């Protein structure tokens, strides 16, 4: 049975609200996901919330009922609360109908099975959570295996990144490593590492990509370090016909991912 929580000072409200902060997420190993669509897609992957929060008027929705049942069956806790408290928890003025607390899931690089997919995405020092979430969403769309975060990337479990991923966070393997660790792992098996850069004349549609393809995206403002570009099997660039000299990191990743996907589909 859902428990009713109506007070802002309730310790659970304070605990869940704190998960908007990276330090609390790391301490608890938990993160927030908001919205009926995202929570339903998580459930479709077999992930039930550790905690489920919803407003009374949302409780009659059949999908919310499914989430309640799944959470309770998995041993989680269910709470009914006011829209104001949901807003306090999510940090949004108009929160979604439901909010879930989930366990963070990282996959050790050694446990990543590169044979599971022909496309993988690698992000190096990506700073914007919206870009990271969008890249996860692109990875899901092209059937990528997951996202490998290199060096000091933004937190994929932040509220902003989870929101931007639109549920793709639950379908993609997420791993992290230093560049040296990643390169050592990569060269122990098959894998073509593709970087994008202005330091080449190679058009992105010219090469024939060989799966598994690892698409490397660099920092939004600085791009890839020269030494990392040198470690790539191929460096390519997308034509820029206007005044801008580069694309947004998430957009560039999407363009590259679909080029690889379309090549593989045509074969």
């Amino acid at each position: 049975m859902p428990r009713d929580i109506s007070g802002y000072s309730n310790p659970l409200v304070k605990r869940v609200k704190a998960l908007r902060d990276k330090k609390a997420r790391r301490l608890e190993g938990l993160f927030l996901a908001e919205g009926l669509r995202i929570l339903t897609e998580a459930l479709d992957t077999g992930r039930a919330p550790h905690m489920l929060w919803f407003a009374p008027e949302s409780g009659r929705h059949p999908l919310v009922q499914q989430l309640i049942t799944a959470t309770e069956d998995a041993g989680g806790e269910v709470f009914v609360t006011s829209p104001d408290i949901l807003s306090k928890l999510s940090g949004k003025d108009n929160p979604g109908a439901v909010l879930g607390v989930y366990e963070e899931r990282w996959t050790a690089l050694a446990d990543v099975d590169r044979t599971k997919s022909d496309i993988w995405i690698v992000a190096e020092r990506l700073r914007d959570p919206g870009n990271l979430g969008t890249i996860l969403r692109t990875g899901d769309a092209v059937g990528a295996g997951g996202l490998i975060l290199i060096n000091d990337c933004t937190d994929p479990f932040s509220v902003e990144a989870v929101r931007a991923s639109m549920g793709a966070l639950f379908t993609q393997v997420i791993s992290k490593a230093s560049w040296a660790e990643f390169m050592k792992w990569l060269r122990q098996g098959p894998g073509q590492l593709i970087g994008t850069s202005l330091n080449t004349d190679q058009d992105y549609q010219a090469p024939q990509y060989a799966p598994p393809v690892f698409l490397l995206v660099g920092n939004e403002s600085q791009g890839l370090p020269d030494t990392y570009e040198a470690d790539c099997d191929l460096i390519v660039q997308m034509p820029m016909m206007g005044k801008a000299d580069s694309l947004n990191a998430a957009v560039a990743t999407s363009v590259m991912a679909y080029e690889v996907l379309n090549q593989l589909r045509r074969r």
Side-chain angles (χ1 to χ4, degrees):
M1 276 293 288
R3 292 168 50 192
D4 183 73
I5 290 184
S6 57
Y8 288 99
S9 60
N10 187 290
L12 271 176
V13 172
K14 294 180 178 180
R15 178 187 173 198
V16 173
K17 180 188 174 186
L19 294 176
R20 285 158 48 190
D21 181 73
K22 183 177 181 179
K23 184 177 180 180
R25 290 195 298 274
R26 288 293 173 269
L27 185 64
E28 297 249 26
L30 301 171
F31 70 96
L32 298 174
E34 181 218 354
L36 190 54
R37 176 180 173 179
I38 291 178
L39 268 65
T40 300
E41 292 194 4
L43 192 58
D44 288 342
T45 69
R47 296 282 298 277
H50 180 72
M51 295 183 202
L52 178 69
W53 298 70
F54 65 94
E57 58 269 26
S58 306
R60 293 184 294 274
H61 194 290
L63 291 178
V64 176
Q65 286 294 316
Q66 288 180 24
L67 285 164
I68 292 171
T69 299
T71 303
E72 291 177 336
D73 287 349
E77 299 178 279
V78 180
F79 305 98
V80 58
T81 192
S82 68
D84 285 345
I85 289 181
L86 279 180
S87 178
K88 186 179 183 72
L89 296 178
S90 71
K92 288 181 65 179
D93 292 334
N94 298 300
V98 291
L99 183 141
V101 176
Y102 290 85
E103 294 180 359
E104 291 186 358
R105 285 192 183 175
W106 293 93
T107 299
L109 187 61
D111 295 330
V112 172
D113 183 357
R114 70 183 78 198
T115 67
K116 290 285 188 179
S117 176
D118 288 337
I119 302 173
W120 296 82
I121 300 175
V122 184
E124 193 270 329
R125 291 178 301 138
L126 204 67
R127 303 309 305 152
D128 185 86
N131 279 340
L132 193 149
T134 301
I135 287 171
L136 282 167
R137 191 174 179 184
T138 294
D140 177 79
V142 300
L147 176 64
I148 301 171
L149 303 176
I150 302 297
N151 300 330
D152 186 24
C153 283
T154 190
D155 185 5
F157 298 105
S158 70
V159 172
E160 297 83 3
V162 174
R163 199 175 281 154
S165 79
M166 293 300 293
L169 178 87
F170 296 100
T171 71
Q172 298 288 285
V173 166
I174 301 177
S175 186
K176 58 183 175 180
S178 69
W179 181 253
E181 290 167 340
F182 169 70
M183 288 305 301
K184 180 179 179 181
W185 172 84
L186 180 67
R187 299 314 183 195
Q188 289 173 344
Q192 187 182 40
L193 183 61
I194 310 297
T196 56
S197 172
L198 298 176
N199 301 322
T200 181
D201 294 326
Q202 176 90 293
D203 186 271
Y204 78 112
Q205 292 184 320
Q208 185 174 46
Y209 298 112
V213 176
F214 290 81
L215 296 175
L216 176 61
V217 56
N219 176 268
E220 291 93 341
S221 61
Q222 299 174 354
L224 294 170
D226 292 343
T227 53
Y228 292 11
E229 288 187 9
D231 285 335
C232 290
D233 297 301
L234 281 174
I235 293 289
V236 298
Q237 72 162 328
M238 286 156 277
M240 304 297 296
M241 312 304 289
K243 296 289 188 182
D245 64 357
S246 64
L247 291 172
N248 166 273
V251 173
T253 302
S254 298
V255 173
M256 283 299 305
Y258 270 98
E259 174 61 25
V260 174
L261 176 64
N262 286 334
Q263 283 196 18
L264 299 178
R265 291 170 68 198
R266 285 193 293 269
R267 292 178 206 168

